[in-house]
Amino acid sequence: MARKSQLRSILGTAAVALAVLLVSTPSALLADDDGSEKAGPLSKLQVHGFLTQAFATGNYQTGRFPTLAGPAGPTAEEISLGIPENGTTDYRNLALQFRYEISPQDIMIVQLSSRSLGISPISESEEEVELDWAFYERRLNDTTSLKVGRVQIPYGIFNEIRDVGTILPFYRPAFVFYREGSFTSETVDGVLLSHTFGAESDWAFEANVYAGEWDLVEIDPVNEVAEEARSEDSWGTQFWLNTPIYGLRFGFGTQRRNVVGGSEGVTRVAGSSSRFDEWTFSLDAAFDTWVFRSEYSSFENEEAPFPGFFASDFVGQFDSYYFQAGYYFTPKIRLYVQAEFTEFDVGASIFTEQVQYTAREDFGIALNYSFSPSVVLKAEYHEVEGEDLGFLQVGAPTPPFFQLQPIYADIDGGDYTIISLSASF
């Protein structure tokens, strides 16, 4: 059954890739016999796309403490990545984007996407082909635009291009910051207003404000399943300050989300919502022969009851950050190194002390070879380590005497490798 499913996935990828080739030259379909381009509605249509196919394999740390549900297993992060120890080629991203210019001020954009994440349970919550973007953009003037529909979220450096392999230094943006499924989304069903202050100045300031709802996925590390959730009545901002130094800019963002559904009964009481507030900071320095990027995210949840722990209130702060440096040996050969970290600071009235630990450290290196700007081969290697958290019961199992004593353990080192080929048009 698994082999048939993989075959269908491969055939589906081949079919979409063929469609990409067929539509990649739409102007040819509009040409007269003498080769001149016809004027008509289709002349305003542009078609773009990308495809990344990868082989991924890993040797993961043992991770989590044993639980009543079973023995120790991989961490929630490794579950999300979906890379098996025996390797997989069921690891890909592809998309088709249709851009139609109604007028110089009015644009419609629709993007369809499909991806495979190996054995990640996140794949089970995704359709074979999904509506990625679908929005109308109105350019109010040279510095202001309004987008309505399913709009890409301006979040950090890479969120709006997080699947375009020919641009990304690694197969995916830094996992601790952009993640897969949990606490993240590429799009918002709502509205996005963008404006640039001092567009002609060396210190141009870009402001983005968005509001609406979006789907996301929460990983239940106990049962190793992905649960679909919804972020409702949510909003966010993303600001960029450009500098007189070409290629250097600084970013700051905020986001508030109210999450419902998901892993109810495990991370939140059934029928309730969890509110998260997030702040992000970005440094993006991209020059002729080298780049340096760093981003920091801190989000915390509103104090809320924790399922299964009687009347205990739970509050946590989660800090994630990464550093990335790259050097261009030639226009075709580029080398990148990256270090990622996630730190938890969690408290609950039932805990005997505040919980503080480093959950994940990921050190990666990637070598990129560009056959052309639209065809890029990558080989990357990552080593992962961190700490895991468990609890020891203290006192009688009835309130108010029932408490949990945090205990920590270093996670056995793990690693994973991804080799990918990306193409775009």
Side-chain angles (χ1 to χ4, degrees), residues 380-400:
E380 61 190 83
Y381 173 79
H382 298 255
E383 287 192 352
V384 186
E385 57 186 43
E387 294 178 294
D388 202 1
L389 174 68
F391 292 98
L392 180 65
Q393 180 179 317
V394 179
T398 57

Side-chain angles (χ1 to χ4, degrees), residues 174-236:
F175 177 81
V176 300
F177 190 90
Y178 295 92
R179 309 192 68 82
E180 290 283 4
S182 297
F183 307 113
T184 188
S185 176
E186 183 181 357
T187 57
V188 56
D189 296 334
V191 59
L192 166 65
L193 178 64
S194 302
H195 179 75
T196 300
F197 297 90
E200 302 300 324
S201 168
D202 289 339
W203 293 94
F205 183 75
E206 303 172 18
N208 301 276
V209 180
Y210 57 90
E213 302 181 352
W214 58 83
D215 293 322
L216 49 86
V217 175
E218 293 183 335
I219 295 294
D220 174 1
V222 176
N223 301 308
E224 299 187 17
V225 297
E227 302 287 354
E228 296 182 41
R230 183 77 172 170
S231 182
E232 299 181 341
D233 301 322
S234 303
W235 59 268

Side-chain angles (χ1 to χ4, degrees), residues 113-131:
S113 67
S114 179
R115 70 170 183 169
S116 296
L117 273 175
I119 60 173
S120 172
I122 293 176
S123 299
E124 299 175 6
S125 64
E126 298 179 342
E127 301 294 335
E128 187 73 22
V129 177
E130 295 205 335
L131 179 63

Side-chain angles (χ1 to χ4, degrees), residues 11-60:
L11 292 176
T13 299
V16 177
L18 178 60
V20 170
L21 294 175
L22 292 175
V23 301
S24 61
T25 54
S27 60
L29 303 177
L30 304 172
D32 284 321
D33 293 337
D34 61 1
S36 62
E37 189 173 305
K38 289 183 178 180
L42 288 182
S43 65
K44 298 182 178 182
L45 176 67
Q46 296 181 17
V47 183
H48 303 278
F50 60 82
L51 167 64
T52 297
Q53 174 62 55
F55 169 78
T57 184
N59 297 290
Y60 289 126

Side-chain angles (χ1 to χ4, degrees), residues 277-352:
D277 294 312
E278 181 174 14
W279 299 265
T280 62
F281 301 90
S282 305
L283 166 63
D284 186 12
F287 304 114
D288 291 337
T289 59
W290 64 272
V291 300
F292 179 80
R293 301 182 177 105
S294 181
E295 297 192 272
Y296 170 83
S297 166
S298 178
F299 73 89
E300 60 184 30
N301 69 290
E302 182 183 49
E303 188 170 329
F306 197 64
F309 289 147
F310 304 103
S312 176
D313 288 325
F314 170 84
V315 62
Q317 178 176 322
F318 310 92
D319 298 327
S320 300
Y321 53 97
Y322 74 90
F323 304 94
Q324 179 190 103
Y327 183 76
Y328 304 165
F329 292 98
T330 71
K332 291 182 177 292
I333 302 175
R334 302 180 178 186
L335 180 69
Y336 296 92
V337 293
Q338 184 169 277
E340 311 175 34
F341 306 89
T342 298
E343 298 175 350
F344 287 177
D345 187 348
V346 183
S349 55
I350 202 170
F351 297 166
T352 59

